[in-house]
Amino acid sequence: MKVNIIYWSGTGNTQLMAEAVADGAQSAGARVNLIPVAAADSSSVDADVVLMGCPAMGAENLEESEFEPWYASVKDKLSGKKVGLFGSYDWGDGEWMRTWQSDISSVGGVLIAEGLICNNTPDEAALAECRALGVKAAS
């Protein structure tokens, strides 16, 4: 099972989440590629499961300079693909994640779980949820 995790992190919170997701997937036997979005290209979604992490930015949007342009360039390749989403936020109620999940579904992506969100720095409980997402991705 190949799991690619593509993420963007400005403060390090979403990176911590991505690393915990990777730990969970690896512990369940998956081959994991942890890819900062700056190093991602269209082939980054060529995996059995694609997990994407991006925090809420601005008015609860995906990060606009790196992550959103990359995501827009690959989202049509997600049809029929197993996808998981995660990210941190500082304000709002998770609208960006609900919008992102809807967008994944609209292009035919198959969400493996509800989008995982964490307020600011992930605590141990949030990191455990991230590891569980990784395990789910690997199964």
Side-chain angles (χ1 to χ4, degrees):
M1 172 79 57
K2 180 179 177 184
V3 176
N4 285 357
I5 303 166
I6 303 100
Y7 71 94
W8 185 91
S9 188
T11 63
N13 295 338
T14 301
Q15 180 176 350
L16 288 172
M17 295 177 77
E19 290 167 351
V21 170
D23 288 345
Q26 287 171 332
S27 76
R31 290 174 293 131
V32 176
N33 294 307
L34 187 59
I35 308 166
V37 77
D41 60 23
S42 63
S43 70
S44 299
V45 298
D46 295 338
D48 298 303
V49 181
V50 177
L51 301 172
M52 294 179 279
C54 186
M57 303 293 286
E60 289 207 64
N61 300 311
L62 296 174
E63 190 277 329
E64 295 174 333
S65 66
E66 287 184 271
F67 194 89
E68 198 286 325
W70 172 81
Y71 170 67
S73 76
V74 300
K75 72 181 184 178
D76 289 338
K77 291 181 71 176
L78 299 174
S79 181
K81 180 94 44 194
K82 292 180 182 178
V83 177
L85 305 175
F86 62 92
S88 62
Y89 68 101
D90 186 20
W91 61 91
D93 68 355
E95 178 184 355
W96 104 100
M97 185 59 70
R98 291 189 300 275
T99 301
W100 196 8
Q101 290 177 132
S102 263
D103 196 48
I104 292 290
S105 294
S106 75
V107 298
V110 179
L111 291 166
I112 64 167
E114 287 291 314
L116 179 57
I117 61 175
C118 169
N119 185 255
N120 290 310
T121 304
D123 59 14
E124 193 48 50
L127 292 173
E129 288 182 51
C130 291
R131 286 188 288 274
L133 177 62
V135 168
K136 184 167 192 161
S139 55

